[in-house]
Amino acid sequence: MNDPGLDDPIAAEAKHLEREHGENKDDDLEEDQDYLDPSRWWAASTGFPLLAGTFGPMASAFNIIALVESWRVSIPPGATEANGELVPDPRWLIAVNALSLATAVIANLALLFNMARRLPFSIAQPITIVGWYISSFLLIGLLAAASHGLELPPGQDRALTQAFYYAIMAAGLYIIVASLMLATVYGAYAGHYPKEFKLTMSQRTLMLQTISYLTYLLCGATVYCNIEQWMFVDTVYWANYTLLTIGTGDLHPLTHLGRSLLFPYAIGGIIMLGLVIGSIRSLVLERGKKKLGARMMEKKRQKVLEKLENSNKSRSTLNPLSRNQSKSPVGMSERERREQEFNIMRKIQEAASTKRKWTSLLVSALAWLFLWLVGAVVFWKAEKNQDWSYFISIYFSYVSLLTIGYGDFSPQSNSGKAFFVFWSLLAIPTLTVLISNMGDTVVKMIRDLTLWFGEITVLPEEGGMKQRLKKGSEKLKGGIFAGDEKPVEESPGGVGLAEGNRDPEKGEGGYHKKLGKNAEAAGDKLAGEFEEGELQEAKEDERKGDKIGEDIHLYHYLLVKEIRKVMQDANQTPPRKYSFSEWAWFLRLMGEDEDSNKFHRKAPVKEERKDGDGPQVGEAANDINDKEEVGEENKWSWLGARSPLMGETEEAEWVLERLALTLERELKKQRDKQKRADPAMKEEGLDPEKKNPRNEDERDGSQNYSRNKESFKADDDSGSDSGRSPTS
């Protein structure tokens, strides 16, 4: 069963809740830190608590089933264990079983309160770990006594019920989750991560969702047990394959009331199961993919840097040109060297992304195959009375995994039914994860192959069959199965607005193209009005002959115009990736110049960070100033950790944030200078509105525009050479 499209709403609501609780900032810092130090301890700090929060409640649910039903049956002559008569358990066995359940419930509550930040880590974890271990040891003792120490009257065959096998699974799960949490506590006290769970709001609710689903399943089983007069363990088996939409068909409601209650019960259970599976896929796996991708990205980056460092021919790629150099020893300018860095980083991104996708697919496929084939072995051994062959077991497991449920085969033994409940609860979410990982690998390959085949056969295309075959052959040679699409080369939004590209004879149209349609969003409409206002101010200053004022307003105009365009890019799917020329334009608007080495440095293989410093991933252009000298800590490389291509922030979001900060800084600078200038002019009896010429301080607001006019022209020329429009 696949979740009914709930992962996107879950993720959206989760982000909203995290923003309300101020958690996004900490999560972003943690994810950025993964690039600098992709720790292997993530599993212990985050993965293990999530697994414990999922399987701990499952173990307690199995413990409840083991407590409700007797553990043994006597088999009359000629009958099977399915028709056996229940043998009441001794009182001491029931009491110890109840004590085991109570201890486990306390352990689960301690973990839940710790995840909800209602109980300190140092108090909750000892309770959780010790409680689960005690519950496990109590059950193991009971299992040993029930299987060998409790004899039936002579002349009667005996068998163990489903409840006994549920107790086995509960004891095993208690040991596993307690050991996982023990590893988590060890890592925390060893100093590998803080003594608290770094879980988001959504991850903490995963345990609550699991508890809710299992409670719903057991409550429904209790109701149907009384309505249909089934044994409770059989009703749990029926409720499980019903809510998982497998439908083996060996049990089904026979009463009118039972069939009527199935309508709300089934749909409610399917929705609750969808919430759990959606949370697992969107929270656990997506976060795991980010961790895996971060680790692969950093390892690949370090490997490439080490290779470049050891290659004499490639050292010119890493070392910025000095002020006295116009060309590197191999004849590259600083801009060309930076572009080479950029292209290498793009290849690192593509290689890491492709490896991450196929690694995720391989891991999920192996997990699914393990559950399929090993599960088939268990069913083969458990259903000997039905003379199942291993092939029949494989067939049954496959039909159940895909939730087909023909009903021609179904488990009849007590051990087979109990194992089926546990196995299916693991296998169905695993299949969902496998299908999700196939979406951007195998499914994409099939889609691309289908489109390629269509282009060379039946899909309409100008030029006839020969042209279609030629185009299809080119795609095949270029790789129709390429992972990520290459960045689209487009003109930087403001290129063409520099002096020399304006045509005074075209009037107002010489400054810009006609603004687009009326903006739908209020923010976009406001930005459009501000943009138009700055343009009008620039033209007014031009008529007055105020060159500095003209440049200031044109600079503001360019910033707002680019912000509007990048806002549109931020909503694209898949996320927009910019070319080097676009990045160079954006950086120039922020105050940097790819032709100058002022902000550039050699990329170190491993970033050195002082104790207490926050991660510096993707922090380029954050500390731009107008000083002649820039500190080494503020310099960056496209191959370094401060590169905008590092981190989890999408490129459009990164550019949008920096452009907005630049505009905010420039407007604040202009406002502060105006406040300082107006009182002084009033004291001298001058009109501040007619101040002219402007003093030297006011030149700062336009320096990012005016000092780079020739570079703007160069960008324009390069844009035209690459087939892009020089204006936007």
Side-chain angles (χ1 to χ4, degrees):
M1 171 198 151
N2 297 329
D3 67 284
L6 295 172
D7 49 328
D8 289 337
I10 291 172
E13 182 63 21
K15 289 181 180 179
H16 174 69
L17 291 174
E18 287 160 13
R19 282 194 299 268
E20 287 185 347
H21 290 78
E23 297 180 357
N24 269 349
K25 184 175 181 181
D26 294 337
D27 295 336
D28 291 342
L29 291 177
E30 180 191 355
E31 290 169 0
D32 287 343
Q33 176 64 20
D34 295 334
Y35 280 86
L36 292 180
D37 184 22
S39 174
R40 290 185 175 90
W41 286 94
W42 173 83
S45 64
T46 304
F48 288 174
L50 288 174
L51 289 175
T54 302
F55 289 102
M58 184 184 297
S60 295
F62 292 164
N63 201 341
I64 292 174
I65 301 172
L67 178 62
V68 171
E69 292 284 359
S70 298
W71 285 15
R72 300 167 299 153
V73 291
S74 61
I75 304 176
T80 63
E81 64 180 23
N83 306 113
E85 298 178 358
L86 291 175
V87 176
D89 292 329
R91 292 183 179 274
W92 61 266
L93 189 148
I94 297 175
V96 175
N97 199 349
L99 178 62
S100 171
L101 176 61
T103 306
V105 169
I106 294 174
N108 277 300
L109 290 175
L111 179 61
L112 181 62
F113 289 151
N114 188 201
M115 288 184 172
R117 300 176 181 174
R118 297 291 185 270
L119 199 62
F121 184 90
S122 58
I123 296 177
Q125 290 314 302
I127 296 175
T128 299
I129 295 171
V130 173
W132 277 338
Y133 273 129
I134 290 175
S135 297
S136 176
F137 294 151
L138 290 175
L139 284 178
I140 290 173
L142 292 180
L143 291 169
S147 57
H148 298 289
L150 300 178
E151 298 295 337
L152 293 175
Q156 291 187 4
D157 292 330
R158 68 170 186 176
L160 300 170
T161 66
Q162 296 180 49
F164 177 85
Y165 295 105
Y166 278 114
I168 293 177
M169 292 185 291
L173 288 175
Y174 283 145
I175 289 181
I176 292 173
V177 294
S179 300
L180 291 178
M181 294 310 301
L182 188 62
T184 298
V185 171
Y186 168 78
Y189 280 92
H192 295 290
Y193 43 83
K195 296 176 184 178
E196 61 178 350
F197 293 134
K198 283 194 170 184
L199 303 178
T200 64
M201 176 69 69
S202 302
Q203 288 173 329
R204 291 197 296 270
T205 58
L206 177 60
M207 183 177 184
L208 193 58
Q209 290 173 347
T210 304
I211 294 174
S212 300
Y213 172 74
L214 293 171
T215 302
Y216 187 85
L217 186 147
L218 294 180
C219 290
T222 303
V223 172
Y224 271 90
C225 175
N226 290 280
I227 294 176
E228 300 294 336
Q229 298 300 308
W230 293 334
M231 292 180 60
F232 181 72
V233 287
D234 287 334
T235 313
V236 170
Y237 165 72
W238 167 85
N240 174 72
Y241 73 64
T242 298
L243 299 185
L244 292 178
T245 68
I246 297 175
T248 58
D250 48 342
L251 283 176
H252 53 86
L254 298 176
T255 64
H256 184 75
L257 177 60
R259 290 169 178 169
S260 300
L261 289 178
L262 180 65
F263 299 141
Y265 179 67
I267 193 65
I270 290 171
I271 291 175
M272 295 185 71
L273 179 63
L275 287 171
V276 176
I277 295 178
S279 294
I280 293 174
R281 189 170 75 180
S282 64
L283 303 177
V284 180
L285 284 181
E286 289 302 322
R287 198 169 181 84
K289 285 181 180 180
K290 289 181 179 180
K291 299 290 180 178
L292 181 62
R295 185 166 190 82
M296 291 180 174
M297 177 84 165
E298 180 61 12
K299 290 180 68 175
K300 183 69 174 177
R301 187 184 71 88
Q302 292 181 6
K303 185 177 180 180
V304 169
L305 286 174
E306 290 174 354
K307 185 177 180 180
L308 290 172
E309 184 70 29
N310 297 329
S311 173
N312 291 329
K313 295 181 180 180
S314 300
R315 287 182 181 176
S316 59
T317 301
L318 298 178
N319 298 317
L321 274 63
S322 65
R323 292 186 176 182
N324 299 326
Q325 288 180 297
S326 60
K327 295 285 185 179
S328 68
V330 295
M332 286 192 300
S333 65
E334 178 64 11
R335 183 186 181 91
E336 291 170 339
R337 187 194 68 80
R338 292 279 288 182
E339 185 170 6
Q340 190 176 60
E341 273 190 353
F342 179 88
N343 293 333
I344 292 174
M345 194 63 183
R346 277 287 188 226
K347 291 180 180 179
I348 293 174
Q349 281 184 316
E350 293 172 3
S353 176
T354 300
K355 185 177 180 181
R356 192 268 304 163
K357 290 177 182 178
W358 287 100
T359 301
S360 299
L361 176 63
L362 178 62
V363 171
S364 58
L366 290 176
W368 185 80
L369 285 173
F370 177 82
L371 287 172
W372 178 28
L373 300 179
V374 174
V377 171
V378 176
F379 289 124
W380 176 36
K381 297 297 183 180
E383 299 302 322
K384 286 184 176 180
N385 292 336
Q386 296 193 76
D387 295 326
W388 278 16
S389 65
Y390 185 59
F391 176 78
I392 293 298
S393 299
I394 289 179
Y395 166 78
F396 166 76
S397 301
Y398 186 79
V399 170
S400 300
L401 277 174
L402 296 183
T403 67
I404 297 174
Y406 288 127
D408 48 349
F409 293 97
S410 60
Q412 299 298 322
S413 66
N414 290 335
S415 58
K417 287 183 177 180
F419 177 75
F420 178 84
V421 173
F422 173 63
W423 173 81
S424 59
L425 287 174
L426 294 180
I428 302 305
T430 303
L431 175 63
T432 303
V433 172
L434 174 61
I435 294 175
S436 177
N437 286 329
M438 291 174 64
D440 51 7
T441 50
V442 177
V443 174
K444 184 178 184 301
M445 289 174 58
I446 296 174
R447 183 198 65 189
D448 292 344
L449 181 62
T450 303
L451 293 175
W452 171 78
F453 182 75
E455 286 182 356
I456 65 173
T457 53
V458 297
L459 293 181
E461 183 78 21
E462 295 182 1
M465 179 61 71
K466 183 177 180 180
Q467 183 67 22
R468 283 184 288 192
L469 288 173
K470 182 179 179 181
K471 185 176 180 181
S473 176
E474 290 175 354
K475 275 196 172 184
L476 188 60
K477 290 179 181 178
I480 61 173
F481 305 137
D484 296 328
E485 295 182 0
K486 294 183 179 180
V488 179
E489 291 281 346
E490 291 187 3
S491 171
V495 173
L497 289 170
E499 183 181 344
N501 287 327
R502 293 189 232 118
D503 186 356
E505 295 183 0
K506 293 183 179 179
E508 296 184 1
Y511 283 93
H512 65 102
K513 288 186 176 180
K514 185 178 180 180
L515 294 177
K517 298 179 180 179
N518 292 332
E520 296 180 1
D524 188 55
K525 182 177 180 181
L526 181 61
E529 294 175 355
F530 184 84
E531 177 184 329
E532 186 66 31
E534 290 294 330
L535 190 59
Q536 295 297 331
E537 290 285 346
K539 290 187 290 185
E540 181 67 23
D541 285 332
E542 183 183 32
R543 285 194 289 269
K544 293 178 179 179
D546 186 354
K547 197 61 181 174
I548 300 300
E550 178 189 2
D551 286 344
I552 290 176
H553 291 297
L554 279 178
Y555 180 44
H556 294 169
Y557 166 77
L558 290 178
L559 286 173
V560 178
K561 191 176 185 66
E562 289 307 313
I563 288 173
R564 295 182 67 196
K565 292 195 172 190
V566 175
M567 287 174 64
Q568 298 174 1
D569 294 341
N571 295 324
Q572 287 188 12
T573 304
R576 173 71 184 276
K577 292 185 177 181
Y578 296 112
S579 65
F580 177 76
S581 60
E582 290 174 308
W583 271 110
W585 166 251
F586 291 138
L587 290 171
R588 184 166 294 123
L589 287 176
M590 300 171 199
E592 292 195 18
D593 187 0
E594 287 294 87
D595 293 312
S596 170
N597 66 348
K598 180 179 179 181
F599 288 93
H600 305 165
R601 70 165 179 171
K602 177 182 176 180
V605 177
K606 291 186 178 180
E607 295 287 339
E608 296 182 1
R609 298 189 303 113
K610 299 179 181 179
D611 294 339
D613 287 350
Q616 296 294 314
V617 177
E619 294 297 317
N622 252 14
D623 303 301
I624 296 175
N625 52 55
D626 301 325
K627 299 178 181 178
E628 289 297 325
E629 296 297 331
V630 179
E632 190 66 26
E633 69 278 2
N634 293 333
K635 296 182 178 181
W636 62 281
S637 166
W638 284 109
L639 290 170
R642 290 174 60 87
S643 168
L645 302 184
M646 292 287 287
E648 287 297 321
T649 305
E650 298 296 346
E651 295 182 21
E653 294 178 6
W654 192 98
V655 172
L656 183 61
E657 180 182 359
R658 298 314 192 278
L659 288 178
L661 289 174
T662 302
L663 179 61
E664 180 182 355
R665 183 172 59 246
E666 292 298 327
L667 292 177
K668 184 177 183 299
K669 187 187 301 182
Q670 187 180 15
R671 184 174 62 251
D672 291 344
K673 289 175 182 176
Q674 188 67 30
K675 287 181 179 179
R676 292 195 302 268
D678 288 353
M681 294 188 68
K682 288 180 179 179
E683 290 178 3
E684 298 175 5
L686 300 177
D687 184 359
E689 298 298 330
K690 296 181 179 180
K691 179 184 176 184
N692 193 27
R694 299 171 184 252
N695 58 41
E696 290 297 321
D697 291 338
E698 288 189 273
R699 296 177 181 270
D700 295 342
S702 63
Q703 62 181 343
N704 292 331
Y705 176 82
S706 58
R707 71 184 177 187
N708 289 311
K709 284 183 178 179
E710 296 302 323
S711 299
F712 289 166
K713 294 178 184 179
D715 272 348
D716 186 24
D717 295 338
S718 64
S720 300
D721 293 340
S722 61
R724 302 190 306 270
S725 171
T727 59
S728 61

